[in-house]
């Protein structure tokens, strides 16, 4: 009987460990404090896929500085898949592609650093990256030393070609390897949400993707016949993961994917996309071609008030307060008792709203923040139009165009 009890207990314990996913062999612990606000920067994949080279990177870095993007907070330049050759060298080291990067990767990284920016690279937990370049499986410590020697600041670590591999273990191994290599490197888990990284990622990394890839559309699903997988419109991703907000916070962010602002949607949709990423406290990683950026795109990406919502030091992901006939209200608690409130029209036609604050108290289901407009009057600032528009004492009466937003800061 005793024996049975013990083995039952053993089973129970290991089951709890497994289900919580936090019993991985995580000896190092991530570098703490590298991403106290959602990381901001640029990543090459959304526009260029593997067509990357040193001229593109240098020009992107130059523009990041000259347009004021760097001053607005964008600092990481991240090279995604396709930066290396198809084979490792005789020592087993990764080889930056000498044709794409003729001056060498270290020289390019030094250039980016000289601009006051930070630099990131990409690899994969599997045997190969998604585009078929050498993956890190079995080379974790060697690759971590290589990244440290290049002095990179950010590693995006993908999840292709990982059949039979345990996700928490694979990501913990790479995290340990980075720690051992000794250079503080932001660790960005790109596991697509398949194994719920929000449940085990906090001690391992600074941010984790929570979905499959983004697609430049408002609310579509784009199905890739070859490979049988889908990319998602930005509202699909927002909707898909709106309920895991309690797992996100300073230094451990839910990553809603690189942005598609400036990649073919209307300016209104780009503005809404940027608003939602700000409301959701997602990393703000631009994915457009800076060399062809319109002034409207630049204005969206550098909107100070929205960036302040995203970077707010409380670090809480917003949530959907209500949805009636395609008109949604999203709210995000901010530091100092303030709130960001977004009215979003998801429909194809303009909508009038008549919003009685007093009948719509806010109660945060996960973090306990509350706003009762019968007890507290807030001043209202329209963030996109930079205008004071009264207080919560009066109903908000406005028209919102299709796919557009009105975003307010409620100030105590
Ligand atoms: C996956 C990732 C993308 C990108 C590509 C590169 O699809 O989710 O963000 O890194 O791989 O091949």
């Amino acid at each position: 009987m005793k024996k049975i009890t013990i083995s039952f207990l053993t089973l129970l314990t290991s089951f709890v460990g497994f289900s919580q996913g936090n019993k991985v062999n995580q000896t190092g612990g991530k570098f703490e404090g590298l991403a106290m606000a959602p990381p901001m920067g640029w990543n090459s994949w959304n526009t260029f896929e593997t067509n990357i080279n040193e001229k593109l990177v240098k020009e992107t870095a130059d523009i990041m500085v000259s347009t004021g993007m760097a001053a607005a907070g964008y600092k990481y330049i991240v090279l995604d898949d396709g930066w290396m050759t198809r084979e490792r060298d005789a020592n087993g080291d990764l080889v930056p592609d000498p044709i794409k990067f003729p001056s060498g990767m270290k020289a390019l990284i030094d250039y980016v650093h000289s601009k006051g920016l930070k630099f990131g690279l990409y690899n994969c937990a599997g045997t190969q990256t998604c585009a078929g370049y050498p993956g890190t499986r079995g080379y974790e410590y060697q690759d971590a030393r290589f990244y440290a020697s290049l002095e990179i600041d950010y590693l995006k670590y993908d999840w292709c070609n990982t059949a039979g591999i345990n996700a928490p273990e694979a990501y913990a191994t790479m995290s340990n390897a980075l720690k051992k290599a000794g250079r503080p490197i932001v660790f960005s888990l790109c596991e697509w949400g398949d194994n719920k990284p929000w449940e085990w990622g906090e001690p391992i990394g600074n941010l984790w993707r929570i979905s499959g890839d983004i697609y430049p559309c408002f609310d579509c699903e784009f199905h890739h016949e070859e490979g049988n997988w889908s990319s998602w419109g930005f509202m699909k991703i927002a909707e898909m993961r709106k309920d895991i907000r309690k797992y996100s916070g300073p230094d451990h962010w839910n990553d809603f994917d690189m942005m598609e602002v400036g990649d073919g949607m209307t300016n209104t949709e780009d503005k809404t996309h940027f608003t939602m990423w700000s409301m959701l406290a997602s990393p703000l990683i631009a994915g457009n071609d800076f060399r062809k950026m319109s002034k409207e795109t630049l204005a969206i990406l550098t909107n100070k008030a929205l960036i302040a919502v995203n970077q707010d030091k409380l670090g809480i992901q917003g949530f959907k307060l209500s949805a009636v006939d395609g008109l949604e209200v999203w709210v995000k608690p901010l530091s100092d008792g303030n709130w960001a409130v977004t009215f979003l029209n998801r429909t194809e036609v303009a909508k009038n709203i008549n919003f009685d604050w007093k009948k719509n108290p806010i109660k945060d289901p996960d973090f306990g923040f509350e706003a009762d407009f019968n007890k507290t009057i807030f001043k209202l600032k329209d963030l996109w139009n930079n205008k004071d528009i009264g207080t919560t004492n009066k109903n908000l009466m406005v028209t919102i165009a299709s796919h557009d937003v009105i975003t307010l800061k409620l100030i105590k």
Side-chain angles (χ1 to χ4, degrees), residues 43 45-46 50 80-81 122 129-131 156 158 160 190 192 209 211-213 229 257-258:
N43 174 299
W45 183 256
N46 284 357
T50 59
D80 208 284
D81 209 348
Y122 160 101
T129 72
C130 299
K156 173 176 169 181
D158 212 343
C160 274
C190 178
W192 319 318
R209 280 272 298 280
S211 72
D213 291 359
W229 59 288
D257 206 353
M258 289 104 54

Side-chain angles (χ1 to χ4, degrees), residues 45-46 49 209 211-237 240 257 260 263 265:
W45 183 256
N46 284 357
E49 301 198 340
R209 280 272 298 280
S211 72
D213 291 359
I214 195 167
Y215 195 79
C217 63
F218 185 77
D219 213 0
C220 71
E221 173 179 352
F222 181 83
H223 190 70
H224 304 260
E225 295 299 336
E226 194 191 331
N228 193 25
W229 59 288
S230 289
S231 300
W232 309 97
F234 71 85
M235 279 312 301
K236 277 266 187 307
I237 298 181
M240 197 188 300
D257 206 353
E260 296 281 16
D263 285 343
M265 291 187 286

Side-chain angles (χ1 to χ4, degrees), residues 328-349:
E328 301 186 347
V329 184
W330 291 73
V331 300
K332 180 184 196 286
L334 302 174
S335 46
D336 307 323
N338 297 329
W339 291 82
V341 178
T342 290
F343 296 86
L344 161 65
N345 180 358
R346 280 180 79 157
T347 76
E348 305 304 315
V349 292

